[in-house]
Amino acid sequence: MLKGRHLIEPHDFTPAEMEEIFRLAETMAASMGDFFSLCRGMIMATLFYEPSTRTRFSFEAAMYRLGGQVIGFAEPNSSSVAKGESIADTIRTVACYADIAVMRHPKEGSALVAAGYSPIPVINAGDGGHHHPTQTLTDLFTIRHYKQRFEGLTVGLCGDLKFGRTVHSLIQAMARYPGVRFVCVSPGELTVPDYIMAGLPAGCAVECVVDQPLEQHIGKMDILYMTRVQRERFFNEADYLRLKDCYILDRRVLSRAREDLIVMHPLPRVNEIAYGVDDDRRAVYFPQARLGMIARMALIAKLLGVS
Amino acid sequence: MITVASIQNGLVIDHIPAGKGLKIFYHLGLDSANLQTALIMNVPSNKMGSKDMIKIENSDDVNLDDLGILAPQATVSVIRRGKTVKKFSLTLPERVVNLLFCKNPRCVTTVEQQVDHVFVRLPGSSSYRCKYCDHLLAV
Ligand SMILES: [Zn+2]
């Protein structure tokens, strides 16, 4: 039963509960128009204590497409935050007006605090560098949409695998399905941290490929998840410049891949995927953004208990 | 040397490092527990040089869970009719509230004033994980 629940961490829901959301999302993707009044009369609050236009648009579009309304703030200066109100008080006030709340906050654990005080469902839309469960929901739904399964897939991950929380959550989420293999391609400085590796179930196959060209390994992948190297993660500019372009997916590299590969990216990209790849039908990073909105529609409907 | 009468029934917390007794006395809530208690400070000790002790008369109903962190080297004796019937050393609690404080500057507990600081021990380890931000703290 998902009605009334919060989504704070990627693993708050079991694979069976995730499947319930994915099934509804797939129906929504096939006939979006059938759902335009599902949330009529309901209000979603978007509490964005730090700006994230992309995530906020995705949530707001999802609620509007379900026939609901949206209230909220998009930056802290204009809000109660500026007056020093606590998260606990803000969420209890907002819950008087709205049926569901979406929160983004720079502090780690903030969504968990909100959930502890909230009588309405809280969705974590990013708490600092900590969790971002609807990105994981988006990634999984994209994989399911294109592959119709999770079991037995070979997932390639490429780029910054050290700091990218999206990648860590995806590894942990996919590791819950049997027979999934990972191929991790990164520079030596940006490999998957040990604590992520240590937390994986026994028998989970992970191949770490360090400082080797992507083209040597792309041929065995069902999915290639590209990430960008973020400047703010580096103390010195020289390291950033050296590492930022070390893996670039272009047509030449992609020509080594299987015909049924899908290329994913959480967006925005910098230059790790060449524009020349965009027209290839294996490139699904823009459809991925649309699927993310649809996954959020299904999530909202399930938490509100209206589906 | 000050003499404090031996207790007949109750608990004796011994080998508390000198200077920590008062903090522990408050943390265990003994200041408001309405129990007959004695806090003895700077008692000469062969092992420790000097130590603090707490004696609690007529009650074993004191939650000592946090003592494993506050004074891991302390020992607890259960007294019946003036005799020690049980003596045990301390173990680390599974979960502590408002005893450990998160050192992660990005943790929500640094800004949200009224929220309880909650840490859960990693199984088989002396490290604790912040409930909010997952940062680890070794004790
Ligand atoms: Zn913390």
Side-chain angles (χ1 to χ4, degrees):
Chain A
M1 190 64 173
L2 290 165
K3 183 180 178 179
R5 299 262 295 274
H6 307 291
L7 178 59
I8 307 302
E9 304 185 7
H11 297 347
D12 281 351
F13 300 158
T14 64
E17 288 168 336
M18 296 289 271
E19 187 57 27
E20 196 184 325
I21 296 168
F22 296 145
R23 273 200 299 269
L24 176 60
E26 209 57 79
T27 312
M28 288 173 162
S31 56
M32 182 95 62
D34 294 349
F35 297 90
F36 71 90
S37 60
L38 196 61
C39 291
R40 183 183 291 168
M42 292 183 156
I43 293 177
M44 178 175 80
T46 50
L47 315 175
F48 276 59
Y49 290 79
E50 65 178 5
S52 175
T53 312
R54 190 176 299 273
T55 305
R56 189 168 56 86
F57 278 5
S58 182
F59 272 107
E60 295 188 354
M63 190 57 171
Y64 285 129
R65 284 184 181 274
L66 293 168
Q69 301 288 309
V70 178
I71 59 171
F73 53 85
E75 43 147 346
N77 299 336
S78 58
S79 70
S80 50
V81 195
K83 300 182 191 117
E85 187 177 51
S86 67
I87 294 168
D89 286 2
T90 301
I91 192 70
R92 283 179 289 189
T93 311
V94 164
C96 299
Y97 312 137
D99 303 286
I100 188 165
V102 177
M103 188 168 124
R104 187 177 184 104
H105 194 289
K107 290 290 181 184
E108 299 172 9
S110 48
L112 186 62
V113 168
Y117 289 90
S118 177
I120 61 170
V122 174
I123 299 172
N124 182 6
D127 56 339
H130 192 216
H131 293 305
H132 192 5
T134 59
Q135 180 66 54
T136 311
L137 189 76
T138 297
D139 295 340
L140 290 182
F141 182 52
T142 304
I143 292 170
R144 189 188 181 281
H145 180 78
Y146 285 100
K147 297 290 182 187
Q148 283 87 46
R149 68 191 161 104
F150 297 109
E151 293 76 15
L153 292 174
T154 298
V155 184
L157 304 145
C158 180
D160 173 8
L161 309 185
K162 181 181 180 186
F163 297 110
R165 102 188 124 176
T166 319
V167 167
H168 302 163
S169 299
L170 183 62
I171 292 173
Q172 290 164 334
M174 286 299 289
R176 299 204 291 183
Y177 298 98
V180 171
R181 298 171 45 84
F182 298 97
V183 181
C184 302
V185 183
S186 71
E189 292 92 336
L190 298 174
T191 56
V192 180
D194 291 341
Y195 74 91
I196 299 288
M197 292 295 203
L200 295 179
C204 186
V206 184
E207 182 187 351
C208 286
V209 181
V210 175
D211 294 326
Q212 287 180 32
L214 175 59
E215 60 199 85
Q216 283 180 13
H217 300 275
I218 196 170
K220 53 194 154 192
M221 299 172 184
D222 296 302
I223 294 147
L224 171 58
Y225 198 97
M226 294 292 294
T227 61
R228 71 181 173 282
V229 176
Q230 289 176 281
R231 173 178 265 122
E232 58 268 28
R233 302 298 190 189
F234 293 90
F235 288 113
N236 72 66
E237 186 75 4
D239 281 351
Y240 169 70
L241 292 175
R242 184 167 51 82
L243 294 172
K244 80 180 172 69
D245 291 335
C246 64
Y247 290 104
I248 292 179
L249 179 67
D250 55 20
R251 298 185 77 95
R252 186 185 58 82
V253 176
L254 192 59
S255 70
R256 303 286 195 93
R258 298 214 301 253
E259 275 308 305
D260 62 350
L261 173 81
I262 57 170
V263 180
M264 298 170 62
H265 190 293
L267 300 179
R269 72 170 147 188
V270 184
N271 45 7
E272 56 281 354
I273 301 179
Y275 277 73
V277 171
D278 296 355
D279 294 334
D280 194 292
R281 57 185 188 79
R282 289 169 286 192
V284 304
Y285 30 91
F286 291 114
Q288 183 182 354
R290 176 177 167 80
L291 293 168
M293 176 192 70
I294 296 169
R296 289 179 175 97
M297 288 171 67
L299 173 66
I300 292 165
K302 284 289 177 189
L303 300 186
L304 287 172
V306 293
S307 66
Chain B
M1 180 171 164
I2 305 170
T3 320
V4 176
S6 302
I7 61 172
Q8 287 302 302
N9 294 293
L11 295 174
V12 174
I13 307 170
D14 200 354
H15 303 106
I16 300 170
K20 280 194 172 177
L22 189 61
K23 184 183 171 192
I24 290 169
F25 193 83
Y26 281 117
H27 191 88
L28 297 180
L30 297 173
D31 55 319
S32 55
N34 203 22
L35 294 168
Q36 208 181 122
T37 54
L39 165 63
I40 317 154
M41 297 171 74
N42 300 313
V43 183
S45 157
N46 290 336
K47 245 194 327 194
M48 303 172 70
S50 63
K51 64 181 183 182
D52 292 355
M53 288 175 78
I54 294 172
K55 297 185 178 189
I56 306 164
E57 180 80 66
N58 286 331
S59 178
D60 330 326
D61 193 22
V62 177
N63 185 343
L64 300 175
D65 287 353
D66 290 354
L67 212 50
I69 288 178
L70 288 166
Q73 50 295 72
T75 55
V76 178
S77 303
V78 181
I79 314 293
R80 291 288 177 272
R81 297 197 190 114
K83 292 214 160 57
T84 301
V85 295
K86 202 171 136 195
K87 193 167 187 163
F88 54 92
S89 48
L90 298 161
T91 53
L92 290 170
E94 296 305 316
R95 187 173 183 274
V96 292
V97 178
N98 295 330
L99 179 64
L100 301 173
F101 296 91
C102 194
K103 291 192 167 58
N104 173 12
R106 298 177 305 277
C107 180
V108 68
T109 56
T110 60
V111 291
E112 192 77 356
Q113 300 297 328
Q114 81 302 335
V115 77
D116 280 333
H117 295 245
V118 181
F119 280 81
V120 178
R121 185 158 69 95
L122 296 187
S125 144
S126 60
S127 288
Y128 284 79
R129 183 186 358 236
C130 173
K131 173 186 162 180
Y132 297 98
C133 73
D134 294 315
H135 264 240
L136 298 181
L137 204 60
V139 299

